[in-house]
Amino acid sequence: MKRLDYKLIEALDSVVRFGGFERAAEKLCITQSAVSQRIKQLEQMMAKPLLVRSQPPGLTEAGQQVMSLYRRVVILEQDLLDSIHHQDSGRFSPVTLAVNADSVATWLLPALAPLLKQEKIELHLLVNDEARALENMRRGEATAAISLQSQPLPGCQADYLGEMRYLCVCSADFAQRYFPKGVNREALLKAPALTFGPLDDMHRDFLQQHFNLPNSSAPCHVVPSSEAFVKMAKAGLAYCMVCEVQIKDALEEGQLINLLPHLWDTRSLYWHHWVLETGRLKALSDRVIKKGRELLYRPY
């Protein structure tokens, strides 16, 4: 079997990264026909289809494996060249992370800020539910991921970061309006709640576990934004499950109240990354693990 031609893989990466052949051709400064020919040549070399020609384009399982390797090689190559020449090339290395919205809204960006100032890293965030972020890494779309799963992918390792604790909160006037006699099944059937999206099962599971309420039995707004969650709760529009670290000040200032102080939910977060990391990737992982363990709750 012939060795991989990274010029051909670059075309595949560009089509997927930029969402089509036209934009890939613009980025590579070649024609769309040349992009198509490179991908066809790569698929012939691999004897397997690599690109799902949909809108937007995607990757087959084999394509995901090729892309996962390629994106790591690009970063490792840049680190090697900088090290050999003992100087900064000035080029930014693209790094894609699959992360959950609550980590982005709270601890992750402050943790990465010093590194992003020091290293030439072009950060791409794929914001996904933490229960599903590992799929982005498995498909070759991300170099590392924050996930609930403790079992790493082949060739990877999973480092425990800590716990995100979620409280059930609302504004004082919302509580007075919907829960004047306390939180019970009857009141919960009438009070509007918030959920992040159709794949977010935290609110549903919380109600089912503690109040035996079946799915979709209570009104629920769908708002895919951690920041909007807090704003809507403060405005008295709904109650919701929010990570404690995000609303610490709001609770202390009385803008929000903890509806159920004796009940909460937790999510264990793990940092998934490749075992063989050097340079920028290793620095990024070291930073995430160190700051995650400092800022997240750790019961032991």
Side-chain angles (χ1 to χ4, degrees):
M1 180 181 291
K2 293 183 179 179
R3 300 186 67 177
L4 292 174
D5 185 333
Y6 288 98
K7 182 177 72 174
L8 305 182
I9 303 177
E10 182 185 26
L12 178 66
D13 175 55
S14 296
V15 168
V16 175
R17 184 184 295 275
F18 300 113
F21 285 81
E22 182 178 355
R23 293 195 64 188
E26 291 175 359
K27 293 293 180 179
L28 296 174
C29 299
I30 58 177
T31 65
Q32 290 187 50
S33 176
V35 172
S36 180
Q37 288 300 317
R38 288 184 184 185
I39 293 176
K40 287 180 181 178
Q41 187 178 344
L42 179 63
E43 289 179 321
Q44 291 172 356
M45 181 186 299
M46 300 298 295
K48 283 190 175 184
L50 303 176
L51 183 70
V52 178
R53 289 161 173 80
S54 57
Q55 193 56 252
L59 293 168
T60 66
E61 185 175 349
Q64 292 165 16
Q65 293 174 330
V66 171
M67 196 54 55
S68 177
L69 171 67
Y70 172 73
R71 290 179 177 172
R72 281 181 286 146
V73 166
V74 169
I75 299 171
L76 293 172
E77 180 185 77
Q78 192 58 54
D79 286 336
L80 175 63
L81 292 175
D82 290 346
S83 174
I84 289 175
H85 295 295
H86 302 290
Q87 62 182 16
D88 187 347
S89 66
R91 293 180 58 188
F92 279 74
S93 299
V95 176
T96 302
L97 309 180
V99 297
N100 60 313
D102 291 336
S103 289
V104 175
T106 53
W107 66 274
L108 183 63
L109 294 181
L112 292 178
L115 183 68
L116 294 177
K117 291 178 180 179
Q118 178 184 344
E119 299 286 350
K120 286 183 167 54
I121 293 175
E122 182 184 287
L123 185 65
H124 297 256
L125 296 182
L126 293 176
V127 181
N128 204 345
D129 184 88
E130 61 266 32
R132 299 166 179 85
L134 201 57
E135 283 301 312
N136 295 118
M137 196 173 176
R138 181 179 287 108
R139 292 195 297 264
E141 299 166 350
T143 305
I146 294 175
S147 173
L148 298 179
Q149 300 179 46
S150 60
Q151 183 64 35
L153 298 173
C156 298
Q157 69 184 63
D159 289 284
Y160 174 65
L161 298 174
E163 310 286 321
M164 295 197 84
R165 189 159 76 159
Y166 290 81
L167 308 180
C168 186
V169 302
C170 68
S171 66
D173 67 294
F174 185 92
Q176 183 63 35
R177 187 161 71 252
Y178 286 98
F179 304 110
K181 297 180 180 179
V183 182
N184 53 53
R185 293 182 84 254
E186 183 180 356
L188 288 168
L189 287 169
K190 299 176 182 178
L194 283 170
T195 187
F196 194 81
L199 299 179
D200 179 11
D201 54 12
M202 180 183 294
H203 177 76
R204 180 197 66 193
D205 291 348
F206 188 79
L207 293 186
Q208 193 169 40
Q209 177 183 352
H210 298 294
F211 297 94
N212 196 29
L213 285 174
N215 296 345
S216 304
S217 58
C220 194
H221 301 295
V222 178
V223 181
S225 165
S226 297
E227 293 82 357
F229 257 49
V230 176
K231 289 181 179 179
M232 289 186 71
K234 286 181 179 179
L237 303 177
Y239 76 100
C240 56
M241 303 290 294
V242 185
C243 59
E244 187 175 19
V245 66
Q246 188 177 2
I247 53 171
K248 182 180 178 181
D249 291 342
L251 290 171
E252 291 177 353
E253 296 167 4
Q255 296 175 303
L256 293 173
I257 62 172
N258 189 350
L259 270 175
L260 299 162
H262 59 293
L263 294 177
W264 59 83
D265 201 352
T266 58
R267 292 289 187 267
S268 299
L269 299 184
Y270 295 84
W271 176 248
H272 289 257
H273 59 107
W274 294 97
V275 173
L276 299 177
E277 286 184 318
T278 60
R280 292 175 175 90
L281 288 181
K282 187 177 187 306
L284 188 145
S285 284
D286 289 346
R287 184 74 188 175
V288 169
I289 294 168
K290 180 177 183 293
K291 299 305 293 185
R293 289 175 175 175
E294 289 177 3
L295 300 173
L296 296 176
Y297 170 69
R298 289 171 64 84
Y300 50 85

